[in-house]
Amino acid sequence: MQRGKVYIGTSGWTYPHWRGTFYPKGLAQRLELTHAAQTFDSLELNGSFYSLQRPGSYGRWFRETPDDFVFAVKGGRFITHLKRLRGVESALANFYASGVLLLAHKLGPFLWQLPAHVPYDPQVLESFLTQLPRDTTQAAALAAGHDERLHGRAWTRAEHDAPLRHALEVRHDSFLTPDFTAQLRRHGVALVVADAAGHFPLIEDVTADFVYVRLHGSRELYASAYTEEELRYWAARVRCWQEGSEPTDARRIAACTASLRPRDVYVYFDNDIHAHAPHDARALVRFLAP
C-alpha cells in the first residue's frame, strides 16, 4: 500500500526546562539540536517567528542535522501579527532573504500562524496567498527584493529548484466558512489541524497535498500532557491522512471530502511548558511504528 511520509517532532528545541528531562544532564547547549535531530526526523523552527534569523544560523542548523532531516519554518510575527497580512511585500522579501534557503533540501513547510483577534478577510488573505512563493526559485527572486535592513546579511540564492509548501493556522471563528477552505484549496495551502484545549477552532478539512498538525495540549493550552489514549487517537488519524483517506468523524467546515490520495503528514507538539512535548512526540512515533 502506498503511503505518504510522516514527520513528527516538537515546536522548537531550545528550552532550559527540558535540560535534565529530555536533554541529558550535562549536555552542552550547542549540542541540543543534534540530540533532538537524532530523536526526531523533523522540528518546527520557531525562532524565525520572533525575529529575522541570520544566514549563519540557518547554515549551522543545516550542518547540525542529518541529511534526511526536515525543518518546518514558522513565518515571522511581523507579517502575521503586526502587519496582519496587509502590505507585506517588503516583509516577505526580508523573511525569505534572511537565510531560510540555506536549509536547501531540508526545507519543509512554512507555517503561517494568525493571532486569535484577526478575523477572516477574503481579500486580504487572497493577496497574501498570491504572494507566497511556490518553489525555491520564486523564493530567491522574492528575497532579492529585500530592503536596506538586510544589506550585508542577506541570502538570495536557491541552489536547486524545489517546490515549497505552506500551511495556515487560524484562531478566529469567522474562518469557519466553506469559502475559506475553498480558498485554501485553490492555492494548495494546508489548513493546520490545531488541538488547543478548545481555545481555538479545531478544523480537519484537507486542503492541500499534505496535512499539518499542531498539538498544543488537549486539556491545558501549551501545558497538559497527552494520555496514551489521546496519542493513539491521533495516531489513527495520521494513518488515515497518510494512506489517502480521512477519519470518518473528521471535523470539517465543508461537506466535501478530500480526494483519495496518500499525503505526507507533519505533526508537531507544542505542549512544552512542562517538557511534555518531546516525550509525547516520542510516544506518537512508537504508536505509528510499523
Side-chain angles (χ1 to χ4, degrees):
M1 177 188 298
Q2 186 179 4
R3 293 182 175 184
K5 170 73 175 173
V6 175
Y7 301 90
I8 298 172
T10 61
S11 180
W13 64 85
T14 305
Y15 298 101
H17 58 287
W18 289 14
R19 295 164 192 162
T21 55
F22 172 62
Y23 295 121
K25 290 183 178 180
L27 182 73
Q29 184 177 346
R30 61 182 173 81
L31 298 177
E32 289 177 352
L33 174 56
T34 300
H35 179 85
Q38 291 171 345
T39 306
F40 307 115
D41 55 10
S42 185
L43 291 169
E44 195 177 76
L45 201 164
N46 59 14
S48 52
F49 172 73
Y50 296 102
S51 63
L52 286 176
Q53 303 298 301
R54 292 180 175 270
S57 297
Y58 284 106
R60 184 177 71 254
W61 295 328
F62 178 88
R63 294 189 299 272
E64 292 177 353
T65 50
D67 190 62
D68 59 351
F69 193 80
V70 171
F71 286 99
V73 180
K74 192 171 182 180
R77 63 177 175 178
F78 180 71
I79 296 169
T80 56
H81 287 53
L82 299 180
K83 301 288 286 185
R84 301 183 187 182
L85 307 184
R86 299 171 184 268
V88 296
E89 294 83 357
S90 179
L92 277 171
N94 287 349
F95 176 75
Y96 282 99
S98 64
V100 67
L101 290 171
L102 281 164
L103 293 178
H105 63 276
K106 300 180 185 181
L107 180 56
F110 289 95
L111 166 68
W112 303 96
Q113 176 200 300
L114 296 183
H117 61 272
V118 171
Y120 178 43
D121 185 316
Q123 287 73 38
V124 170
L125 183 59
E126 186 68 19
S127 175
F128 174 72
L129 296 178
T130 300
Q131 293 178 71
L132 293 177
R134 301 301 164 170
D135 55 45
T136 53
T137 299
Q138 290 183 12
L142 178 60
H146 68 82
D147 64 24
E148 67 280 356
R149 284 175 291 179
L150 268 74
H151 284 168
R153 52 161 291 192
W155 182 270
T156 61
R157 299 200 306 273
E159 301 301 330
H160 65 292
D161 188 19
L164 295 179
R165 287 171 161 172
H166 299 274
L168 182 70
E169 181 174 0
V170 299
R171 297 185 165 186
H172 194 281
D173 286 345
S174 61
F175 285 90
L176 298 173
T177 169
D179 291 342
F180 168 56
T181 52
Q183 188 174 24
L184 291 187
R185 284 196 181 96
R186 288 196 302 273
H187 288 274
V189 172
L191 174 55
V192 172
V193 178
D195 183 34
H199 288 267
F200 314 125
L202 200 171
I203 314 167
E204 294 177 302
D205 292 68
V206 176
T207 59
D209 62 354
F210 69 104
V211 175
Y212 197 112
V213 182
R214 302 189 81 207
L215 300 178
H216 302 292
S218 62
R219 283 160 286 119
E220 188 177 356
L221 191 63
Y222 308 130
S224 61
Y226 282 86
T227 66
E228 179 175 334
E229 181 181 3
E230 289 172 328
L231 291 170
R232 290 189 182 279
Y233 167 88
W234 282 108
R237 302 181 98 69
V238 169
R239 287 194 192 96
C240 283
W241 293 315
Q242 177 190 18
E243 294 171 359
S245 61
E246 289 186 85
T248 56
D249 60 345
R251 287 155 286 197
R252 292 192 301 265
I253 298 171
C256 63
T257 58
S259 58
L260 298 178
R261 54 173 170 165
R263 287 176 166 82
D264 295 340
V265 185
Y266 301 81
V267 184
Y268 300 103
F269 285 84
D270 193 27
N271 54 336
D272 61 80
I273 289 179
H274 300 300
H276 295 307
H279 303 292
D280 288 348
R282 282 194 295 200
L284 186 62
V285 169
R286 291 197 305 271
F287 294 148
L288 284 165

